[in-house]
Amino acid sequence: MRILFSGDVAWNTGRNALALSLPVIKREYGSFDFIIVNCENAAHGKGMTDKIFNEFLELGVDAMTSGNHIWDKPLFFSTLDSETRVFRPANYPASCPGQGHGIIERKGRRLGILNLEGQVFMPPIDSPFACADVLVDELKSRGGENLPIFVDFHAEATSEKQAMSYWLDGRVSAVVGTHTHVQTADERILPHGTAYISDAGMTGGHEGILGVKYGSVMPKFIQGLPCKFEASVDGAAFNGVIIEIDDSTGLSTGIKRIQLPVDIS
């Protein structure tokens, strides 16, 4: 099984970059069994909309994970509740809209998805480690012991992401970090067969600060004043990973980091 995952798709720059980069990546690397994107910043940097959800589906995206910003557009809550192809972090209370885990299917292939959020430097939330223990077992009870499982761990601290990767090593196919928008260079296969990277990066404008224009952010740092963020339109690029999974074991045999500049002018 081959999975293509895009890190946080940020603003309209990221949406345009995703649309332009997917055909290029497919030409270079071939077809994929599943394409997954983190969508929590897709609507003007915060949250999601039905329109963007449908745009991603039309691009061939099979599933969308998210993080703390998925709650920023309440009008999307009904879609979170009704759609099985979009996920919010599972360690929010069960009373929150949406699902945090599930099994998606395409052309006879099945993939478990688990979306988690970290606790370090993040809003108060239940333990992602305890949640992972319960839900990985649940997914395997539904899909079989060798069900491939992809985990998007949306977290700030690299240490917490690494801890999660070792906690789940050998139990899931991949633990991929999101949230920081800065791609790390530590992709690897862990000792028991789980693919890992601390952060897949950001699909968006990289000439700026985490997807926004330099000038719109600086007042916050220099003067401590509120400011209105503006999307960076320069340096557009796709950031993500390709993960290769052994069908017989559900464990990974390879992970490749991708940084693809895209001209969206």
Side-chain angles (χ1 to χ4, degrees), residues 134-206:
V134 172
L135 296 184
V136 166
D137 287 346
E138 181 183 322
L139 286 170
K140 287 181 178 290
S141 71
R142 291 165 53 189
E145 188 62 30
N146 294 329
L147 174 74
I149 300 176
F150 176 90
V151 179
D152 178 343
F153 189 27
H154 198 77
E156 184 76 32
T158 302
S159 58
E160 189 178 21
K161 294 178 183 181
Q162 291 180 342
M164 180 62 73
S165 74
Y166 282 102
W167 186 248
L168 293 178
D169 184 23
R171 294 195 278 167
V172 301
S173 308
V175 175
V176 175
T178 58
H179 181 64
T180 71
H181 290 206
V182 178
Q183 191 180 75
T184 56
D186 60 342
E187 71 276 12
R188 60 190 183 274
I189 304 297
L190 296 175
H192 299 293
T194 295
Y196 173 72
I197 187 170
S198 292
D199 205 288
M202 173 190 69
T203 295
H206 288 259

Side-chain angles (χ1 to χ4, degrees), residues 66 70-71 76-84 86-90 92-101:
S66 63
I70 196 62
W71 313 115
F76 192 65
F77 288 1
S78 60
T79 301
L80 278 175
D81 263 337
S82 63
E83 264 292 346
T84 59
V86 61
F87 298 84
R88 50 83 164 172
Y92 277 93
S95 57
C96 290
Q99 60 171 351
H101 71 299

Side-chain angles (χ1 to χ4, degrees), residues 67-68 89 91-92 115-119 122-123 125-126 128 153-155:
N68 54 299
N91 49 324
Y92 277 93
N115 198 174
L116 298 168
E117 185 172 309
Q119 293 178 304
M122 298 289 282
I125 196 171
D126 292 343
F153 189 27
H154 198 77

Side-chain angles (χ1 to χ4, degrees), residues 241-257:
V241 290
I242 295 173
I243 298 168
E244 306 275 355
I245 300 172
D246 186 324
D247 290 333
S248 65
T249 64
L251 298 175
S252 291
T253 58
I255 178 170
K256 181 177 180 60
R257 177 167 41 100

Side-chain angles (χ1 to χ4, degrees), residues 46-57:
K46 290 187 175 183
M48 267 288 283
T49 66
D50 288 345
K51 181 176 181 291
I52 296 171
F53 175 78
N54 288 318
E55 287 176 358
F56 285 171
L57 293 180

Side-chain angles (χ1 to χ4, degrees), residues 13-125:
T13 305
R15 300 197 307 268
N16 291 334
L18 180 69
L20 291 171
S21 62
L22 286 180
V24 176
I25 294 171
K26 290 176 182 177
R27 283 197 300 270
E28 183 169 351
Y29 295 101
S31 62
F32 298 94
D33 295 293
F34 295 99
I35 297 175
I36 309 167
V37 303
N38 185 292
C39 68
E40 71 143 13
N41 297 127
H44 306 293
K46 290 187 175 183
M48 267 288 283
T49 66
D50 288 345
K51 181 176 181 291
I52 296 171
F53 175 78
N54 288 318
E55 287 176 358
F56 285 171
L57 293 180
E58 290 175 5
L59 291 175
V61 172
D62 299 295
M64 300 164 218
T65 53
S66 63
N68 54 299
H69 283 301
I70 196 62
W71 313 115
D72 290 349
K73 297 284 190 293
L75 289 176
F76 192 65
F77 288 1
S78 60
T79 301
L80 278 175
D81 263 337
S82 63
E83 264 292 346
T84 59
R85 292 170 289 186
V86 61
F87 298 84
R88 50 83 164 172
N91 49 324
Y92 277 93
S95 57
C96 290
Q99 60 171 351
H101 71 299
I103 298 175
I104 60 173
E105 298 187 32
R106 179 174 178 267
K107 295 183 177 180
R109 312 300 295 274
R110 306 179 81 203
L111 175 67
I113 304 280
L114 174 58
N115 198 174
L116 298 168
E117 185 172 309
Q119 293 178 304
V120 180
F121 308 126
M122 298 289 282
I125 196 171

